[in-house]
Amino acid sequence: IAGITQAPTSQILAAGRRMTLRCTQDMRHNAMYWYRQDLGLGLRLIHYSNTAGTTGKGEVPDGYSVSRANTDDFPLTLASAVPSQTSVYFCASSDSGTSGYTFGSGTRLTVV
Amino acid sequence: GQNIDQPTEMTATEGAIVQINCTYQTSGFNGLFWYQQHAGEAPTFLSYNVLDGLEEKGRFSSFLSRSKGYSYLLLKELQMKDSASYLCAVMDSNYQLIWGAGTKLIIKP
């Protein structure tokens, strides 16, 4: 692993199903983030974690939950997927506020 | 509210210079970032400005005016590989990044 790994790369999911998107980093960054990116809307923050054991809500948290049991992992769960959650999901991390974010390669999710 | 504005799309010619503007209104300011994102890929870090002025990094330069809430990214000697979206983001008082919708740059031969 080098940087941030996201899995799966893409997924087609039936509406109403539960799904967990995985994110793992090996840089020992304290802060981690989940974004969704939709055409014309840019990156929107779903949830974030400033350090292991803590999480916070971003701009569009409804329908999503996260956990941060350790420094490396930050999974995003959709409890009951809906078509409006069709998007590209990016996980990111940073070690300090001003050093910029490192992004994973993204998960393309289609809810049908 | 918080707002980041940048043009939706720009077109330029290979070998030329292009300037992508970004204006912002945010609650607090802890720096402005520019990212590059090729289609289907993740954003990658280009530059960070926290003080007024111009930061030069090879063919790319970024300028910031805090009093005007304004930044630009200048790309020189354009290459076809520079075709991408360029994202402007401001770090607010909570050290959260507020993102613009991105500018799609199309380079023509």
Side-chain angles (χ1 to χ4, degrees):
Chain A
I1 298 178
I4 297 183
T5 300
Q6 289 186 236
T9 301
S10 65
Q11 181 76 44
I12 299 174
L13 185 68
R17 296 296 296 269
R18 180 184 179 89
M19 173 79 187
T20 295
L21 308 186
R22 300 185 298 279
C23 175
T24 299
Q25 54 114 348
D26 65 352
M27 299 172 288
R28 308 302 294 173
H29 286 175
N30 282 322
M32 296 187 75
Y33 311 86
W34 273 107
Y35 287 93
R36 60 178 289 172
Q37 188 175 38
D38 303 289
L39 194 64
L41 295 178
L43 289 162
R44 292 184 291 169
L45 183 65
I46 304 170
H47 285 285
Y48 65 93
S49 169
N50 287 329
T51 189
T54 69
T55 62
K57 293 182 179 180
E59 179 186 358
V60 288
D62 293 344
Y64 307 94
S65 63
V66 292
S67 61
R68 187 87 183 279
N70 56 62
T71 297
D72 297 344
D73 301 301
F74 191 43
L76 176 73
T77 297
L78 289 68
S80 179
V82 295
S84 62
Q85 292 178 310
T86 293
S87 187
V88 180
Y89 291 85
F90 286 104
C91 179
S93 71
S94 69
D95 63 352
S96 70
T98 59
S99 65
Y101 292 5
T102 300
F103 283 83
S105 56
T107 294
R108 184 174 297 275
L109 181 67
T110 303
V111 182
V112 297
Chain B
Q2 307 201 95
N3 195 50
I4 310 284
D5 286 318
Q6 50 181 133
T8 302
E9 186 175 297
M10 299 181 71
T11 302
T13 304
E14 189 177 16
I17 299 173
V18 70
Q19 177 175 310
I20 302 174
N21 295 325
C22 171
T23 58
Y24 63 89
Q25 290 178 307
T26 58
S27 56
F29 180 86
N30 282 299
L32 186 143
F33 295 81
W34 284 97
Y35 279 77
Q36 180 189 59
Q37 185 177 25
H38 286 101
E41 298 182 8
T44 56
F45 172 81
L46 284 178
S47 67
Y48 170 69
N49 294 69
V50 67
L51 300 176
D52 286 355
L54 187 68
E55 296 276 348
E56 296 186 76
K57 192 183 296 185
R59 293 189 300 113
F60 292 9
S61 302
S62 56
F63 172 83
L64 175 67
S65 169
R66 293 187 61 170
S67 62
K68 295 182 179 178
Y70 168 70
S71 172
Y72 67 73
L73 181 69
L74 191 70
L75 292 73
K76 303 176 185 177
E77 301 170 14
L78 286 169
Q79 302 175 9
M80 297 304 293
K81 68 178 182 180
D82 297 330
S83 291
S85 288
Y86 292 85
L87 312 180
C88 174
V90 172
M91 186 159 284
D92 69 9
S93 56
N94 295 318
Y95 291 92
Q96 298 281 357
L97 278 182
I98 310 301
W99 295 84
T103 298
K104 182 178 181 180
L105 178 63
I106 299 168
I107 310 295
K108 295 186 174 180

PDB file of all heavy atoms in Angstrom, chain B residues 55-85:
ATOM      1  N   GLU B  55       3.227  32.567  -6.198  1.00  0.00           N
ATOM      2  CA  GLU B  55       4.073  31.405  -5.945  1.00  0.00           C
ATOM      3  C   GLU B  55       4.300  30.699  -7.274  1.00  0.00           C
ATOM      4  O   GLU B  55       3.348  30.323  -7.943  1.00  0.00           O
ATOM      5  CB  GLU B  55       3.385  30.441  -4.964  1.00  0.00           C
ATOM      6  CG  GLU B  55       3.156  31.001  -3.581  1.00  0.00           C
ATOM      7  CD  GLU B  55       4.370  30.850  -2.695  1.00  0.00           C
ATOM      8  OE1 GLU B  55       5.304  30.109  -3.069  1.00  0.00           O
ATOM      9  OE2 GLU B  55       4.389  31.499  -1.627  1.00  0.00           O
ATOM     10  N   GLU B  56       5.570  30.538  -7.639  1.00  0.00           N
ATOM     11  CA  GLU B  56       5.881  29.911  -8.916  1.00  0.00           C
ATOM     12  C   GLU B  56       6.452  28.523  -8.708  1.00  0.00           C
ATOM     13  O   GLU B  56       7.303  28.316  -7.835  1.00  0.00           O
ATOM     14  CB  GLU B  56       6.875  30.778  -9.705  1.00  0.00           C
ATOM     15  CG  GLU B  56       6.298  32.138 -10.075  1.00  0.00           C
ATOM     16  CD  GLU B  56       7.208  32.955 -10.976  1.00  0.00           C
ATOM     17  OE1 GLU B  56       7.280  32.645 -12.172  1.00  0.00           O
ATOM     18  OE2 GLU B  56       7.859  33.888 -10.469  1.00  0.00           O
ATOM     19  N   LYS B  57       5.953  27.593  -9.529  1.00  0.00           N
ATOM     20  CA  LYS B  57       6.430  26.214  -9.443  1.00  0.00           C
ATOM     21  C   LYS B  57       6.479  25.658 -10.848  1.00  0.00           C
ATOM     22  O   LYS B  57       5.513  25.111 -11.358  1.00  0.00           O
ATOM     23  CB  LYS B  57       5.484  25.397  -8.551  1.00  0.00           C
ATOM     24  CG  LYS B  57       6.003  24.051  -8.146  1.00  0.00           C
ATOM     25  CD  LYS B  57       4.973  23.264  -7.332  1.00  0.00           C
ATOM     26  CE  LYS B  57       4.658  23.922  -6.016  1.00  0.00           C
ATOM     27  NZ  LYS B  57       3.748  23.077  -5.195  1.00  0.00           N
ATOM     28  N   GLY B  58       7.624  25.815 -11.504  1.00  0.00           N
ATOM     29  CA  GLY B  58       7.762  25.334 -12.866  1.00  0.00           C
ATOM     30  C   GLY B  58       6.854  26.087 -13.816  1.00  0.00           C
ATOM     31  O   GLY B  58       6.812  27.317 -13.826  1.00  0.00           O
ATOM     32  N   ARG B  59       6.065  25.355 -14.594  1.00  0.00           N
ATOM     33  CA  ARG B  59       5.163  25.997 -15.567  1.00  0.00           C
ATOM     34  C   ARG B  59       3.907  26.550 -14.898  1.00  0.00           C
ATOM     35  O   ARG B  59       3.148  27.284 -15.531  1.00  0.00           O
ATOM     36  CB  ARG B  59       4.752  24.979 -16.636  1.00  0.00           C
ATOM     37  CG  ARG B  59       5.869  24.513 -17.545  1.00  0.00           C
ATOM     38  CD  ARG B  59       5.332  23.668 -18.704  1.00  0.00           C
ATOM     39  NE  ARG B  59       4.632  22.467 -18.267  1.00  0.00           N
ATOM     40  CZ  ARG B  59       3.321  22.259 -18.423  1.00  0.00           C
ATOM     41  NH1 ARG B  59       2.555  23.188 -18.979  1.00  0.00           N
ATOM     42  NH2 ARG B  59       2.785  21.126 -18.021  1.00  0.00           N
ATOM     43  N   PHE B  60       3.686  26.189 -13.637  1.00  0.00           N
ATOM     44  CA  PHE B  60       2.483  26.616 -12.937  1.00  0.00           C
ATOM     45  C   PHE B  60       2.817  27.680 -11.897  1.00  0.00           C
ATOM     46  O   PHE B  60       3.809  27.568 -11.170  1.00  0.00           O
ATOM     47  CB  PHE B  60       1.820  25.422 -12.242  1.00  0.00           C
ATOM     48  CG  PHE B  60       1.225  24.395 -13.171  1.00  0.00           C
ATOM     49  CD1 PHE B  60       1.436  24.430 -14.535  1.00  0.00           C
ATOM     50  CD2 PHE B  60       0.442  23.371 -12.658  1.00  0.00           C
ATOM     51  CE1 PHE B  60       0.883  23.484 -15.378  1.00  0.00           C
ATOM     52  CE2 PHE B  60      -0.116  22.413 -13.496  1.00  0.00           C
ATOM     53  CZ  PHE B  60       0.108  22.464 -14.855  1.00  0.00           C
ATOM     54  N   SER B  61       1.963  28.693 -11.801  1.00  0.00           N
ATOM     55  CA  SER B  61       2.087  29.725 -10.771  1.00  0.00           C
ATOM     56  C   SER B  61       0.719  29.959 -10.168  1.00  0.00           C
ATOM     57  O   SER B  61      -0.303  29.837 -10.855  1.00  0.00           O
ATOM     58  CB  SER B  61       2.608  31.035 -11.367  1.00  0.00           C
ATOM     59  OG  SER B  61       3.846  30.858 -12.004  1.00  0.00           O
ATOM     60  N   SER B  62       0.686  30.327  -8.893  1.00  0.00           N
ATOM     61  CA  SER B  62      -0.584  30.643  -8.250  1.00  0.00           C
ATOM     62  C   SER B  62      -0.443  31.962  -7.516  1.00  0.00           C
ATOM     63  O   SER B  62       0.578  32.230  -6.869  1.00  0.00           O
ATOM     64  CB  SER B  62      -1.004  29.530  -7.292  1.00  0.00           C
ATOM     65  OG  SER B  62      -0.003  29.283  -6.339  1.00  0.00           O
ATOM     66  N   PHE B  63      -1.478  32.781  -7.629  1.00  0.00           N
ATOM     67  CA  PHE B  63      -1.498  34.118  -7.049  1.00  0.00           C
ATOM     68  C   PHE B  63      -2.638  34.231  -6.065  1.00  0.00           C
ATOM     69  O   PHE B  63      -3.711  33.649  -6.258  1.00  0.00           O
ATOM     70  CB  PHE B  63      -1.673  35.160  -8.156  1.00  0.00           C
ATOM     71  CG  PHE B  63      -1.888  36.560  -7.644  1.00  0.00           C
ATOM     72  CD1 PHE B  63      -0.816  37.353  -7.273  1.00  0.00           C
ATOM     73  CD2 PHE B  63      -3.178  37.082  -7.514  1.00  0.00           C
ATOM     74  CE1 PHE B  63      -1.013  38.627  -6.788  1.00  0.00           C
ATOM     75  CE2 PHE B  63      -3.381  38.364  -7.032  1.00  0.00           C
ATOM     76  CZ  PHE B  63      -2.295  39.137  -6.671  1.00  0.00           C
ATOM     77  N   LEU B  64      -2.409  35.004  -5.007  1.00  0.00           N
ATOM     78  CA  LEU B  64      -3.446  35.221  -4.001  1.00  0.00           C
ATOM     79  C   LEU B  64      -3.515  36.689  -3.607  1.00  0.00           C
ATOM     80  O   LEU B  64      -2.470  37.314  -3.379  1.00  0.00           O
ATOM     81  CB  LEU B  64      -3.172  34.387  -2.751  1.00  0.00           C
ATOM     82  CG  LEU B  64      -4.105  34.609  -1.561  1.00  0.00           C
ATOM     83  CD1 LEU B  64      -5.516  34.130  -1.881  1.00  0.00           C
ATOM     84  CD2 LEU B  64      -3.562  33.913  -0.315  1.00  0.00           C
ATOM     85  N   SER B  65      -4.760  37.203  -3.513  1.00  0.00           N
ATOM     86  CA  SER B  65      -5.021  38.501  -2.899  1.00  0.00           C
ATOM     87  C   SER B  65      -6.095  38.284  -1.840  1.00  0.00           C
ATOM     88  O   SER B  65      -7.269  38.097  -2.158  1.00  0.00           O
ATOM     89  CB  SER B  65      -5.496  39.524  -3.930  1.00  0.00           C
ATOM     90  OG  SER B  65      -5.990  40.694  -3.268  1.00  0.00           O
ATOM     91  N   ARG B  66      -5.707  38.310  -0.602  1.00  0.00           N
ATOM     92  CA  ARG B  66      -6.658  38.051   0.485  1.00  0.00           C
ATOM     93  C   ARG B  66      -7.667  39.177   0.604  1.00  0.00           C
ATOM     94  O   ARG B  66      -8.846  38.934   0.881  1.00  0.00           O
ATOM     95  CB  ARG B  66      -5.908  37.859   1.801  1.00  0.00           C
ATOM     96  CG  ARG B  66      -5.074  36.607   1.834  1.00  0.00           C
ATOM     97  CD  ARG B  66      -4.490  36.375   3.196  1.00  0.00           C
ATOM     98  NE  ARG B  66      -5.528  36.206   4.210  1.00  0.00           N
ATOM     99  CZ  ARG B  66      -5.318  35.803   5.439  1.00  0.00           C
ATOM    100  NH1 ARG B  66      -4.091  35.530   5.843  1.00  0.00           N
ATOM    101  NH2 ARG B  66      -6.296  35.693   6.306  1.00  0.00           N
ATOM    102  N   SER B  67      -7.225  40.422   0.396  1.00  0.00           N
ATOM    103  CA  SER B  67      -8.138  41.551   0.542  1.00  0.00           C
ATOM    104  C   SER B  67      -9.238  41.513  -0.506  1.00  0.00           C
ATOM    105  O   SER B  67     -10.360  41.970  -0.259  1.00  0.00           O
ATOM    106  CB  SER B  67      -7.368  42.866   0.452  1.00  0.00           C
ATOM    107  OG  SER B  67      -6.753  43.000  -0.822  1.00  0.00           O
ATOM    108  N   LYS B  68      -8.954  40.947  -1.671  1.00  0.00           N
ATOM    109  CA  LYS B  68      -9.940  40.872  -2.751  1.00  0.00           C
ATOM    110  C   LYS B  68     -10.654  39.524  -2.796  1.00  0.00           C
ATOM    111  O   LYS B  68     -11.577  39.340  -3.596  1.00  0.00           O
ATOM    112  CB  LYS B  68      -9.272  41.144  -4.096  1.00  0.00           C
ATOM    113  CG  LYS B  68      -8.720  42.549  -4.238  1.00  0.00           C
ATOM    114  CD  LYS B  68      -8.115  42.781  -5.614  1.00  0.00           C
ATOM    115  CE  LYS B  68      -7.590  44.206  -5.735  1.00  0.00           C
ATOM    116  NZ  LYS B  68      -6.952  44.458  -7.064  1.00  0.00           N
ATOM    117  N   GLY B  69     -10.257  38.583  -1.971  1.00  0.00           N
ATOM    118  CA  GLY B  69     -10.861  37.254  -2.014  1.00  0.00           C
ATOM    119  C   GLY B  69     -10.691  36.621  -3.383  1.00  0.00           C
ATOM    120  O   GLY B  69     -11.636  36.067  -3.960  1.00  0.00           O
ATOM    121  N   TYR B  70      -9.454  36.661  -3.878  1.00  0.00           N
ATOM    122  CA  TYR B  70      -9.204  36.324  -5.280  1.00  0.00           C
ATOM    123  C   TYR B  70      -7.898  35.563  -5.417  1.00  0.00           C
ATOM    124  O   TYR B  70      -6.893  35.873  -4.758  1.00  0.00           O
ATOM    125  CB  TYR B  70      -9.153  37.618  -6.083  1.00  0.00           C
ATOM    126  CG  TYR B  70      -8.628  37.499  -7.487  1.00  0.00           C
ATOM    127  CD1 TYR B  70      -9.357  36.861  -8.474  1.00  0.00           C
ATOM    128  CD2 TYR B  70      -7.383  38.042  -7.827  1.00  0.00           C
ATOM    129  CE1 TYR B  70      -8.867  36.763  -9.775  1.00  0.00           C
ATOM    130  CE2 TYR B  70      -6.893  37.951  -9.115  1.00  0.00           C
ATOM    131  CZ  TYR B  70      -7.644  37.318 -10.088  1.00  0.00           C
ATOM    132  OH  TYR B  70      -7.162  37.226 -11.361  1.00  0.00           O
ATOM    133  N   SER B  71      -7.924  34.582  -6.298  1.00  0.00           N
ATOM    134  CA  SER B  71      -6.721  33.830  -6.635  1.00  0.00           C
ATOM    135  C   SER B  71      -6.772  33.485  -8.114  1.00  0.00           C
ATOM    136  O   SER B  71      -7.843  33.480  -8.736  1.00  0.00           O
ATOM    137  CB  SER B  71      -6.659  32.533  -5.820  1.00  0.00           C
ATOM    138  OG  SER B  71      -5.602  31.691  -6.250  1.00  0.00           O
ATOM    139  N   TYR B  72      -5.621  33.242  -8.679  1.00  0.00           N
ATOM    140  CA  TYR B  72      -5.594  32.663 -10.022  1.00  0.00           C
ATOM    141  C   TYR B  72      -4.478  31.642 -10.132  1.00  0.00           C
ATOM    142  O   TYR B  72      -3.477  31.705  -9.422  1.00  0.00           O
ATOM    143  CB  TYR B  72      -5.484  33.718 -11.126  1.00  0.00           C
ATOM    144  CG  TYR B  72      -4.191  34.503 -11.195  1.00  0.00           C
ATOM    145  CD1 TYR B  72      -3.012  33.937 -11.662  1.00  0.00           C
ATOM    146  CD2 TYR B  72      -4.167  35.848 -10.822  1.00  0.00           C
ATOM    147  CE1 TYR B  72      -1.837  34.663 -11.733  1.00  0.00           C
ATOM    148  CE2 TYR B  72      -3.009  36.590 -10.904  1.00  0.00           C
ATOM    149  CZ  TYR B  72      -1.846  36.004 -11.354  1.00  0.00           C
ATOM    150  OH  TYR B  72      -0.679  36.731 -11.430  1.00  0.00           O
ATOM    151  N   LEU B  73      -4.692  30.699 -11.034  1.00  0.00           N
ATOM    152  CA  LEU B  73      -3.690  29.704 -11.400  1.00  0.00           C
ATOM    153  C   LEU B  73      -3.261  30.010 -12.828  1.00  0.00           C
ATOM    154  O   LEU B  73      -4.103  30.132 -13.716  1.00  0.00           O
ATOM    155  CB  LEU B  73      -4.279  28.297 -11.315  1.00  0.00           C
ATOM    156  CG  LEU B  73      -3.350  27.135 -11.645  1.00  0.00           C
ATOM    157  CD1 LEU B  73      -2.270  26.991 -10.565  1.00  0.00           C
ATOM    158  CD2 LEU B  73      -4.135  25.833 -11.781  1.00  0.00           C
ATOM    159  N   LEU B  74      -1.963  30.176 -13.014  1.00  0.00           N
ATOM    160  CA  LEU B  74      -1.420  30.513 -14.326  1.00  0.00           C
ATOM    161  C   LEU B  74      -0.644  29.312 -14.859  1.00  0.00           C
ATOM    162  O   LEU B  74       0.263  28.811 -14.187  1.00  0.00           O
ATOM    163  CB  LEU B  74      -0.489  31.719 -14.214  1.00  0.00           C
ATOM    164  CG  LEU B  74      -0.024  32.372 -15.509  1.00  0.00           C
ATOM    165  CD1 LEU B  74      -1.194  33.095 -16.169  1.00  0.00           C
ATOM    166  CD2 LEU B  74       1.115  33.352 -15.230  1.00  0.00           C
ATOM    167  N   LEU B  75      -1.014  28.862 -16.029  1.00  0.00           N
ATOM    168  CA  LEU B  75      -0.327  27.736 -16.652  1.00  0.00           C
ATOM    169  C   LEU B  75       0.371  28.239 -17.921  1.00  0.00           C
ATOM    170  O   LEU B  75      -0.271  28.776 -18.827  1.00  0.00           O
ATOM    171  CB  LEU B  75      -1.308  26.619 -17.024  1.00  0.00           C
ATOM    172  CG  LEU B  75      -1.984  25.839 -15.908  1.00  0.00           C
ATOM    173  CD1 LEU B  75      -3.058  26.651 -15.193  1.00  0.00           C
ATOM    174  CD2 LEU B  75      -2.580  24.545 -16.447  1.00  0.00           C
ATOM    175  N   LYS B  76       1.683  28.035 -17.988  1.00  0.00           N
ATOM    176  CA  LYS B  76       2.467  28.495 -19.130  1.00  0.00           C
ATOM    177  C   LYS B  76       2.857  27.316 -20.018  1.00  0.00           C
ATOM    178  O   LYS B  76       2.847  26.156 -19.582  1.00  0.00           O
ATOM    179  CB  LYS B  76       3.738  29.184 -18.651  1.00  0.00           C
ATOM    180  CG  LYS B  76       3.514  30.352 -17.722  1.00  0.00           C
ATOM    181  CD  LYS B  76       4.843  30.901 -17.217  1.00  0.00           C
ATOM    182  CE  LYS B  76       4.636  32.003 -16.196  1.00  0.00           C
ATOM    183  NZ  LYS B  76       5.911  32.496 -15.636  1.00  0.00           N
ATOM    184  N   GLU B  77       3.203  27.623 -21.259  1.00  0.00           N
ATOM    185  CA  GLU B  77       3.682  26.606 -22.201  1.00  0.00           C
ATOM    186  C   GLU B  77       2.787  25.376 -22.169  1.00  0.00           C
ATOM    187  O   GLU B  77       3.238  24.250 -21.930  1.00  0.00           O
ATOM    188  CB  GLU B  77       5.131  26.216 -21.860  1.00  0.00           C
ATOM    189  CG  GLU B  77       6.095  27.388 -21.900  1.00  0.00           C
ATOM    190  CD  GLU B  77       7.465  27.022 -21.323  1.00  0.00           C
ATOM    191  OE1 GLU B  77       7.747  25.826 -21.151  1.00  0.00           O
ATOM    192  OE2 GLU B  77       8.230  27.952 -21.037  1.00  0.00           O
ATOM    193  N   LEU B  78       1.520  25.602 -22.402  1.00  0.00           N
ATOM    194  CA  LEU B  78       0.521  24.551 -22.261  1.00  0.00           C
ATOM    195  C   LEU B  78       0.854  23.319 -23.090  1.00  0.00           C
ATOM    196  O   LEU B  78       1.286  23.410 -24.241  1.00  0.00           O
ATOM    197  CB  LEU B  78      -0.856  25.068 -22.649  1.00  0.00           C
ATOM    198  CG  LEU B  78      -1.525  26.005 -21.641  1.00  0.00           C
ATOM    199  CD1 LEU B  78      -2.751  26.646 -22.248  1.00  0.00           C
ATOM    200  CD2 LEU B  78      -1.867  25.256 -20.362  1.00  0.00           C
ATOM    201  N   GLN B  79       0.622  22.178 -22.458  1.00  0.00           N
ATOM    202  CA  GLN B  79       0.810  20.891 -23.113  1.00  0.00           C
ATOM    203  C   GLN B  79      -0.531  20.159 -23.133  1.00  0.00           C
ATOM    204  O   GLN B  79      -1.416  20.430 -22.311  1.00  0.00           O
ATOM    205  CB  GLN B  79       1.859  20.077 -22.361  1.00  0.00           C
ATOM    206  CG  GLN B  79       3.212  20.773 -22.256  1.00  0.00           C
ATOM    207  CD  GLN B  79       4.210  20.009 -21.408  1.00  0.00           C
ATOM    208  OE1 GLN B  79       3.987  18.862 -21.009  1.00  0.00           O
ATOM    209  NE2 GLN B  79       5.342  20.654 -21.119  1.00  0.00           N
ATOM    210  N   MET B  80      -0.658  19.219 -24.049  1.00  0.00           N
ATOM    211  CA  MET B  80      -1.922  18.489 -24.164  1.00  0.00           C
ATOM    212  C   MET B  80      -2.272  17.789 -22.848  1.00  0.00           C
ATOM    213  O   MET B  80      -3.446  17.693 -22.478  1.00  0.00           O
ATOM    214  CB  MET B  80      -1.866  17.483 -25.303  1.00  0.00           C
ATOM    215  CG  MET B  80      -1.674  18.119 -26.688  1.00  0.00           C
ATOM    216  SD  MET B  80      -2.932  19.343 -27.096  1.00  0.00           S
ATOM    217  CE  MET B  80      -4.377  18.301 -27.218  1.00  0.00           C
ATOM    218  N   LYS B  81      -1.253  17.345 -22.127  1.00  0.00           N
ATOM    219  CA  LYS B  81      -1.500  16.649 -20.865  1.00  0.00           C
ATOM    220  C   LYS B  81      -2.064  17.559 -19.782  1.00  0.00           C
ATOM    221  O   LYS B  81      -2.500  17.082 -18.729  1.00  0.00           O
ATOM    222  CB  LYS B  81      -0.210  16.003 -20.353  1.00  0.00           C
ATOM    223  CG  LYS B  81       0.842  17.008 -19.912  1.00  0.00           C
ATOM    224  CD  LYS B  81       2.088  16.296 -19.375  1.00  0.00           C
ATOM    225  CE  LYS B  81       3.136  17.287 -18.886  1.00  0.00           C
ATOM    226  NZ  LYS B  81       4.345  16.605 -18.355  1.00  0.00           N
ATOM    227  N   ASP B  82      -2.069  18.877 -20.032  1.00  0.00           N
ATOM    228  CA  ASP B  82      -2.648  19.808 -19.057  1.00  0.00           C
ATOM    229  C   ASP B  82      -4.171  19.854 -19.156  1.00  0.00           C
ATOM    230  O   ASP B  82      -4.837  20.512 -18.339  1.00  0.00           O
ATOM    231  CB  ASP B  82      -2.091  21.222 -19.264  1.00  0.00           C
ATOM    232  CG  ASP B  82      -0.597  21.302 -19.033  1.00  0.00           C
ATOM    233  OD1 ASP B  82      -0.077  20.521 -18.204  1.00  0.00           O
ATOM    234  OD2 ASP B  82       0.067  22.125 -19.691  1.00  0.00           O
ATOM    235  N   SER B  83      -4.732  19.188 -20.146  1.00  0.00           N
ATOM    236  CA  SER B  83      -6.195  19.082 -20.245  1.00  0.00           C
ATOM    237  C   SER B  83      -6.703  18.334 -19.024  1.00  0.00           C
ATOM    238  O   SER B  83      -6.388  17.149 -18.819  1.00  0.00           O
ATOM    239  CB  SER B  83      -6.592  18.331 -21.521  1.00  0.00           C
ATOM    240  OG  SER B  83      -6.297  19.087 -22.668  1.00  0.00           O
ATOM    241  N   ALA B  84      -7.478  19.031 -18.204  1.00  0.00           N
ATOM    242  CA  ALA B  84      -7.927  18.478 -16.929  1.00  0.00           C
ATOM    243  C   ALA B  84      -8.886  19.480 -16.302  1.00  0.00           C
ATOM    244  O   ALA B  84      -9.094  20.578 -16.830  1.00  0.00           O
ATOM    245  CB  ALA B  84      -6.744  18.232 -15.986  1.00  0.00           C
ATOM    246  N   SER B  85      -9.440  19.115 -15.165  1.00  0.00           N
ATOM    247  CA  SER B  85     -10.188  20.077 -14.357  1.00  0.00           C
ATOM    248  C   SER B  85      -9.272  20.618 -13.275  1.00  0.00           C
ATOM    249  O   SER B  85      -8.437  19.880 -12.725  1.00  0.00           O
ATOM    250  CB  SER B  85     -11.408  19.422 -13.729  1.00  0.00           C
ATOM    251  OG  SER B  85     -12.401  19.151 -14.691  1.00  0.00           O
TER     252      SER B  85
END
